[in-house]
């Protein structure tokens, strides 16, 4: 166990060194003549938004590539897998900076959202665009000569499109839900989650590793399906933690109830609530008043949603394990299990 922890911290340290190099490169990009002020702004913006999370998505590119390759990575292979990992983290930062503005959030990763800083404000919208534009610059610099370069560009473009479309579904569903709460149903929820979270958080890191290993992604449709299911499970956990998690552990104060979100909890509640309980939800869900939020949480407890979530977690885990063990490649099985074990019963 100590050895595994030691390897994980070495891996994280090595991964963070790659970030420093990539940051230096984007701050010296010859396509733009930086002034001292603009360089300092980007430097600070990157440090605030890119490396602050758990880095699971990025590091899993390195882990997955090593498992698929079946032997220890050379320094060059570690570096290139790390670069792709950081491209995933850059994409995540781009989404989160803009998502926080759209959701009017207050905290992210234990600190104020970037746009909440008085000197930032709406400049954060342009910072999000810059973060997104760093990705093709990084890919061009490090992968231009590779046979799979065009496939990497296609992959990042497609996943970004899917995620932005999922975000749109989330926003317009919320808009509809404000008028009619009964619109929040499981198929609607699953579609939002699949596009908004699962593709970029679960499929993208593994797809990067497969491309580096010389694989054709068309041959991995079933792996993609399993990863998307895992991403759905991950988002259900996120929704649960938004309401029942410890803000000190998860690094943010949950606002799904106030924001009228089509969350797994509200969908479950609407399915099993009686008429009186439905009336309480309709009167209190989506209201910023803390008393209204408390009424919704109290109703969630009355409906025993914590037990319902525990049951969902157990059955999802069993189904995922059986889908994983049906995969023909032992290496692919190991990659998928490593993802699942990182998230199973997580508290943050």
């Amino acid at each position: 166990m100590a050895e595994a922890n030691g390897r994980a911290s070495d891996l994280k340290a090595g991964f963070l060194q790659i970030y420093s190099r990539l940051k230096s490169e984007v701050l010296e990009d010859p396509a733009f003549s930086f002034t001292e002020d603009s360089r300092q702004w980007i430097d600070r913006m990157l440090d605030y938004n890119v490396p602050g999370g758990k880095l699971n998505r990025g590091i899993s590119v390195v882990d997955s590539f090593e498992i698929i390759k079946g032997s220890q990575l050379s320094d060059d292979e570690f570096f290139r897998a790390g670069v792709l990992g950081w491209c995933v983290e850059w994409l995540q930062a781009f989404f989160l900076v803009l998502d926080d503005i759209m959701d009017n959030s207050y905290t992210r990763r234990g600190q104020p959202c970037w746009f909440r800083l008085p000197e930032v404000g709406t400049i954060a919208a342009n910072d999000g665009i810059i973060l997104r534009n760093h990705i093709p610059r990084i890919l061009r610099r490090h992968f231009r000569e590779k046979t799979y370069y065009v496939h990497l560009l296609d992959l990042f473009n497609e996943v970004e499109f899917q995620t932005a479309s999922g975000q749109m579904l989330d926003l317009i569903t919320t808009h509809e839900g404000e008028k009619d709460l009964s619109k929040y149903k499981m198929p609607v929820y699953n579609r939002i989650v699949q596009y908004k979270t699962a593709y970029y958080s679960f499929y993208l890191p593994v797809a990067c590793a497969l491309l580096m290993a010389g694989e054709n992604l068309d041959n991995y449709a079933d792996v993609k399906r399993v990863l998307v299911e895992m991403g759905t499970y991950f988002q259900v956990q996120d929704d649960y933690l938004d309401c029942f998690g410890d803000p000190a552990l998860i690094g943010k104060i949950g606002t799904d109830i106030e924001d009228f979100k089509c969350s797994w909890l509200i969908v479950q509640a609407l399915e099993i609530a009686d008429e009186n309980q439905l009336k309480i939800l309709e009167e209190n869900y989506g209201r910023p008043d803390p008393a209204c939020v408390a009424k919704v949480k109290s109703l969630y407890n009355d409906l025993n949603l914590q037990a319902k979530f525990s049951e969902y977690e157990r059955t999802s885990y069993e189904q995922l394990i059986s889908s994983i063990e049906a995969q023909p490649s032992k290496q692919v099985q190991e990659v998928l299990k490593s993802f699942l074990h990182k998230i199973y019963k997580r508290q943050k």
Side-chain angles (χ1 to χ4, degrees):
M1 186 71 179
E3 191 179 315
N5 287 341
R7 185 184 173 281
S9 62
D10 288 350
L11 179 60
K12 191 166 184 176
F15 188 62
L16 284 164
Q17 281 178 336
I18 296 169
Y19 166 73
S20 301
R21 176 164 159 189
L22 295 177
K23 185 175 79 163
S24 301
E25 289 170 359
V26 299
L27 291 173
E28 300 294 335
D29 192 319
F32 178 65
S33 303
F34 283 92
T35 60
E36 199 46 46
D37 284 351
S38 61
R39 186 178 279 113
Q40 279 177 6
W41 181 274
I42 299 296
D43 190 335
R44 180 179 173 221
M45 185 271 287
L46 288 173
D47 283 350
Y48 198 93
N49 294 296
V50 178
K54 298 185 285 288
L55 306 181
N56 282 343
R57 292 170 183 82
I59 289 172
S60 64
V61 177
V62 183
D63 279 339
S64 300
F65 181 47
E66 186 163 81
I67 293 167
I68 293 163
K69 183 177 174 247
S71 60
Q72 199 170 349
L73 301 183
S74 68
D75 288 350
D76 180 56
E77 287 170 330
F78 179 87
F79 176 74
R80 276 187 294 112
V83 170
L84 285 185
W86 279 111
C87 286
V88 177
E89 292 292 338
W90 243 269
L91 188 69
Q92 154 97 333
F94 152 59
F95 290 138
L96 297 186
V97 165
L98 296 182
D99 189 57
D100 285 341
I101 300 170
M102 289 179 249
D103 287 349
N104 204 25
S105 299
Y106 287 89
T107 55
R108 165 77 63 187
R109 295 169 171 173
Q111 59 184 10
C113 299
W114 177 241
F115 84 98
R116 290 277 173 201
L117 301 188
E119 67 276 28
V120 178
T122 55
I123 298 173
N126 192 61
D127 289 334
I129 295 168
I130 288 175
L131 285 164
R132 186 262 174 265
N133 277 277
H134 282 160
I135 298 165
R137 308 299 295 164
I138 294 168
L139 292 174
R140 184 172 181 272
R141 179 184 283 266
H142 294 285
F143 293 93
R144 190 172 34 183
E145 310 302 324
K146 298 290 176 191
T147 52
Y148 53 85
Y149 173 53
V150 69
H151 301 301
L152 275 178
L153 290 174
D154 273 350
L155 174 66
F156 273 89
N157 285 336
E158 184 173 282
V159 169
E160 183 195 343
F161 170 64
Q162 288 169 319
T163 310
S165 300
Q167 174 71 349
M168 172 201 62
L169 275 180
D170 188 16
L171 294 166
I172 65 175
T173 303
T174 303
H175 195 63
E176 286 303 301
E178 284 171 358
K179 290 180 266 183
D180 178 8
L181 200 52
S182 68
K183 292 260 168 69
Y184 287 175
K185 291 191 160 62
M186 216 60 217
V188 175
Y189 174 80
N190 284 330
R191 190 177 298 113
I192 292 170
V193 168
Q194 175 181 342
Y195 288 102
K196 187 183 168 182
T197 303
Y199 283 110
Y200 95 89
S201 295
F202 287 82
Y203 174 62
L204 178 59
V206 175
C208 284
L210 287 167
L211 287 176
M212 278 191 75
E215 297 291 337
N216 179 344
L217 295 180
D218 293 341
N219 300 334
Y220 288 88
D222 198 49
V223 172
K224 184 189 221 174
R225 180 189 61 76
V226 176
L227 285 160
V228 167
E229 283 176 15
M230 217 181 286
T232 302
Y233 164 59
F234 176 85
Q235 186 59 49
V236 172
Q237 288 177 313
D238 225 48
D239 290 356
Y240 177 81
L241 291 169
D242 185 274
C243 181
F244 294 111
D246 177 356
L249 274 181
I250 59 176
K252 61 183 179 182
I253 298 158
T255 58
D256 283 358
I257 294 171
E258 294 93 315
D259 294 341
F260 231 115
K261 282 288 179 209
C262 181
S263 142
W264 185 83
L265 294 167
I266 187 67
V267 173
Q268 296 300 316
L270 290 166
E271 279 183 7
I272 57 176
D274 63 28
E275 268 184 54
N276 286 337
Q277 291 167 327
L278 282 174
K279 193 164 180 292
I280 292 168
L281 287 172
E282 278 160 8
E283 287 169 359
N284 294 283
Y285 199 74
R287 308 279 187 276
D289 179 352
C292 295
V293 174
K295 280 180 188 166
V296 173
K297 285 190 179 182
S298 167
L299 184 56
Y300 285 174
N301 283 321
D302 293 345
L303 293 169
N304 212 7
L305 290 190
Q306 283 171 286
K308 205 167 173 63
F309 170 74
S310 297
E311 177 60 15
Y312 168 84
E313 186 157 54
R314 186 185 64 75
T315 55
S316 294
Y317 181 79
E318 287 169 5
Q319 283 165 1
L320 285 164
I321 287 288
S322 86
S323 296
I324 290 167
E325 289 177 348
Q327 297 301 316
S329 155
K330 283 279 182 266
Q331 281 101 323
V332 166
Q333 282 192 28
E334 196 184 331
V335 166
L336 295 172
K337 281 184 177 172
S338 79
F339 265 76
L340 185 53
H341 292 139
K342 273 179 198 163
I343 63 169
Y344 183 54
K345 296 210 163 173
R346 68 191 176 98
Q347 298 298 310
K348 60 179 182 179

